[in-house]
Amino acid sequence: MPAKKRVQDTHISAELKSLHLSVVSLVSVMNRPRNDERLIQEAGVKLDQALFRLLVVIERVGPIGVVELADRLGRDYTTISRQVAKLATMELITRQGNPRDRRIREATIAPKGKEMTDRLDAARERMGRTIFESWEPQELSDLVRLMAKFASAMEAVERGPPG
């Protein structure tokens, strides 16, 4: 007996195309250097734009090795390695060995770096409030919940089947 077609299957191609366009637009806006500069300025932080992105990712997902960090950012390993070294010199991150693989040195946010990312988060919140001021609280909650679900599903697909 053939599988029952669900009503949503009829429109999924159009929905996925629309979702893809939204994601492309979102990534495009988030990758614009002027938006990073505006956030850095709003936070009152003195940090090069390229280092800013690394610092935020390290704070969010660290401890993290340079290879994984470069992969997440779509950048060359050697460039990321130099930038991570600069963040360490600035005392914004610390480097430590990975307990499971001694060949890997992982970056972790340092107290001075955490203070900086906290200031960036506060500025991001101030700036974000203008975006969401006309939204109902439940709409924002739904967006947050569904974006987390979507990101988790995307990461699971990238990892591939267990085994």
Side-chain angles (χ1 to χ4, degrees), residues 14-109:
E15 293 291 329
L16 287 176
K17 190 172 184 177
S18 180
L19 174 62
H20 185 257
L21 177 58
S22 295
V23 170
V24 167
S25 296
L26 182 62
V27 169
S28 175
V29 168
M30 293 184 77
N31 282 335
R32 289 185 185 134
R34 69 178 172 265
N35 290 330
D36 288 348
E37 286 298 329
R38 191 170 30 225
L39 178 61
I40 290 167
Q41 184 176 8
E42 173 72 23
V45 167
K46 302 270 190 259
L47 188 63
D48 178 79
Q49 199 176 90
L51 297 178
F52 150 76
R53 290 182 183 199
L54 262 66
L55 183 67
V56 170
V57 173
I58 292 167
E59 191 269 335
R60 295 293 193 264
V61 299
I64 186 170
V66 172
V67 172
E68 183 182 348
L69 186 57
D71 185 53
R72 281 183 177 266
L73 295 168
R75 307 269 300 284
D76 177 69
Y77 163 85
T78 57
T79 301
I80 296 298
S81 182
R82 282 192 305 274
Q83 291 172 332
V84 166
K86 188 167 185 180
L87 287 171
T89 300
M90 298 169 72
E91 300 179 343
L92 298 174
I93 64 159
T94 58
R95 304 290 303 275
Q96 63 191 31
N98 178 303
R100 294 174 306 282
D101 187 341
R102 297 202 185 273
R103 296 170 297 170
I104 299 173
R105 288 189 29 100
E106 296 177 318
T108 305
I109 197 78

Side-chain angles (χ1 to χ4, degrees), residues 123-137:
R124 188 177 292 108
E125 182 175 337
R126 287 189 302 273
M127 293 168 75
R129 286 183 180 276
T130 61
I131 294 169
F132 297 112
E133 67 187 358
S134 66
W135 289 40
E136 294 297 322

